[in-house]
Amino acid sequence: MSKTYLITGGAGFIGSNFVNYIYNKYPDSKIIVLDLLTYAGSVENFPVNVNNINDRFEFWYGNVTNSALVDSLVCKADYVIHFAAETHVTRSIFDNRDFFETDVIGTQTVSNAVLQNKNTVEKFIHISTSEVYGTASGCELMDEHHPLNPMSPYAAAKVGADRLVYSYVETYDIPATIIRPFNNYGASQHLEKAIPRFITSALLDEDLTVHGQGLASRDWINVHDTCLGIDKILNSPLSKVQGEVFNLGTGRTISIKDIALEVAKAMNIDKSKIKYIDDRPGQVDCHIANIQKIKDILNWQPCIKFEDGLKNTIEWYKNNHHKWEKQIWMRQVPIVLKDGKKVIH
């Protein structure tokens, strides 16, 4: 059956990968994208040229905090998938106001529109983040009941959005599900993120800069596996997913240092090119997903091994210089450390 998907933030990294996934998998579907096209979003990420009329794809340039615009789009949708957010930890330290406006007020705007169209919207998927958890206690697997201890303005804004959606389920019975993806990587990711920054630095014959000693570890999930997880939720009975929170990760942790070493090895560059710089404030030390809940309820689990996903990601950046070279100047931002020292991260 033909479905209409409203995807906010659909020009960004995970959002655009999901747009392409749905467009290719469901040929009878219609996709509406709302995006403000901030520095991290690009119409080049879409499966079609936005200048050409296409019955299956509709793009709206606008802010997710614009209630009139959001209302007009939500009323057309069977599914609402809310990716729109400011997402970079370091940038949130540099300039945090946009994070709270977009992540919290934007989510409230979308949630209110879903409430007004509760009789027609079948599912509302809110894309939260594992950053809401902070550092894992004892570096243990983090399940959905782990305390929420945000360690950066970005994470704090996402906690506000996450709990706002949950409150709308409890108060208004909206058909919402919250997912908390762990660290995504893959094709077309912005160069401010660790893996594409390492890869493009290697391609440009630059040093690979690592915060601190690189001991902070993450659970790295390929963006395609995230798309599969979201699709699994959309195709599950509402009774199984309404009001639920699901982690999307792998259960495996890899340190930033080891990521840099893996990139150096895969790209045949000497590990002496890896340089260590000041640690980043708001750094999460350890992140590992417990995904037992989504395995048990929805029978989902990741299928892409990290080494294979990294190889494919490297190939994408090798073959798409024209898409990422325009972002080079945005790889780093100035921040102030706790001791008042000003650095570029």
Side-chain angles (χ1 to χ4, degrees):
M1 184 181 297
S2 175
K3 297 291 183 181
T4 298
Y5 298 76
L6 171 60
I7 303 174
T8 71
F13 168 51
I14 307 179
S16 65
N17 273 275
F18 187 69
V19 167
N20 281 273
Y21 172 89
I22 293 296
Y23 192 87
N24 292 324
K25 182 172 181 181
Y26 300 108
D28 293 332
S29 65
K30 179 175 180 180
I31 296 171
I32 304 171
V33 171
L34 171 63
D35 202 293
L36 191 57
L37 296 179
T38 57
Y39 74 95
S42 174
V43 295
E44 293 181 3
N45 294 331
F46 295 147
V48 298
N49 187 326
V50 295
N51 294 316
N52 298 332
I53 296 175
N54 187 313
D55 291 339
R56 290 192 54 210
F57 186 86
E58 187 176 320
F59 174 67
W60 287 82
Y61 169 73
N63 198 317
V64 75
T65 63
N66 183 333
S67 58
L69 175 57
V70 171
D71 289 347
S72 72
L73 300 179
V74 169
C75 71
K76 302 177 183 179
D78 299 298
Y79 300 138
V80 177
I81 304 92
H82 178 45
F83 291 94
E86 302 287 343
T87 64
H88 188 41
V89 171
T90 303
R91 201 169 292 274
S92 79
I93 298 168
F94 169 62
D95 184 10
N96 56 49
R97 183 184 180 91
D98 286 346
F99 285 75
F100 289 92
E101 289 181 349
T102 302
D103 298 11
V104 180
I105 302 303
T107 299
Q108 181 193 34
T109 303
V110 176
S111 298
N112 281 336
V114 170
L115 173 60
Q116 294 304 313
N117 294 277
K118 192 171 70 169
N119 292 333
T120 55
V121 174
E122 296 179 28
K123 289 194 180 75
F124 168 35
I125 311 297
H126 172 66
I127 313 300
S128 184
T129 171
S130 64
E131 288 284 336
V132 299
Y133 295 128
T135 292
S137 176
C139 217
E140 297 175 351
L141 295 176
M142 310 168 87
D143 65 16
E144 291 82 358
H145 295 293
H146 189 282
L148 305 185
N149 295 313
M151 297 182 66
S152 67
Y154 158 60
K158 291 298 285 186
V159 169
D162 183 308
R163 294 297 82 193
L164 185 149
V165 172
Y166 179 77
S167 75
Y168 271 53
V169 175
E170 292 298 304
T171 303
Y172 303 116
D173 196 37
I174 65 171
T177 302
I178 299 163
I179 69 164
R180 294 176 181 155
F182 280 65
N183 283 65
N184 272 247
Y185 71 95
S188 75
Q189 190 170 27
H190 195 277
L191 303 194
E192 67 189 6
K193 303 295 186 179
I195 289 178
R197 184 162 52 83
F198 289 153
I199 294 170
T200 55
S201 292
L203 290 172
L204 295 169
D205 195 29
E206 299 174 342
D207 291 336
L208 280 61
T209 56
V210 174
H211 294 140
Q213 296 302 307
L215 301 180
S217 63
R218 300 285 188 273
D219 186 325
W220 305 88
I221 177 172
N222 189 275
V223 67
H224 181 70
D225 279 330
T226 296
C227 293
L228 291 172
I230 298 169
D231 190 28
K232 193 78 169 178
I233 293 169
L234 290 173
N235 284 288
S236 297
L238 182 62
S239 59
K240 284 190 172 184
V241 300
Q242 184 180 19
E244 297 292 346
V245 178
F246 293 106
N247 285 340
L248 292 181
T250 67
R252 174 188 178 188
T253 185
I254 308 173
S255 73
I256 300 294
K257 177 181 178 180
D258 286 340
I259 293 290
L261 289 168
E262 286 283 345
V263 170
K265 179 181 177 182
M267 300 185 70
N268 197 30
I269 64 172
D270 194 275
K271 63 182 181 181
S272 64
K273 297 286 285 184
I274 300 172
K275 304 296 183 184
Y276 298 89
I277 62 174
D278 293 310
D279 209 351
R280 183 183 69 186
Q283 184 81 279
V284 172
D285 294 329
C286 188
H287 243 36
I288 320 175
N290 182 328
I291 56 172
Q292 195 60 49
K293 179 178 179 180
I294 195 168
K295 280 184 177 179
D296 291 343
I297 296 177
L298 302 181
N299 194 32
W300 173 91
Q301 61 182 354
C303 60
I304 299 176
K305 185 179 178 182
F306 177 77
E307 289 76 12
D308 296 331
L310 180 62
K311 179 180 178 181
N312 292 335
T313 303
I314 290 171
E315 287 303 307
W316 187 90
Y317 283 93
K318 283 183 176 179
N319 296 327
N320 288 277
H321 281 252
H322 65 287
K323 290 189 175 182
W324 58 260
E325 283 182 339
K326 64 192 73 174
Q327 300 174 354
I328 290 174
W329 67 278
M330 291 187 285
R331 287 183 297 174
Q332 298 173 313
V333 294
I335 61 172
V336 178
L337 303 180
K338 291 179 181 178
D339 61 5
K341 181 181 178 181
K342 295 180 180 179
V343 299
I344 303 295
H345 270 231

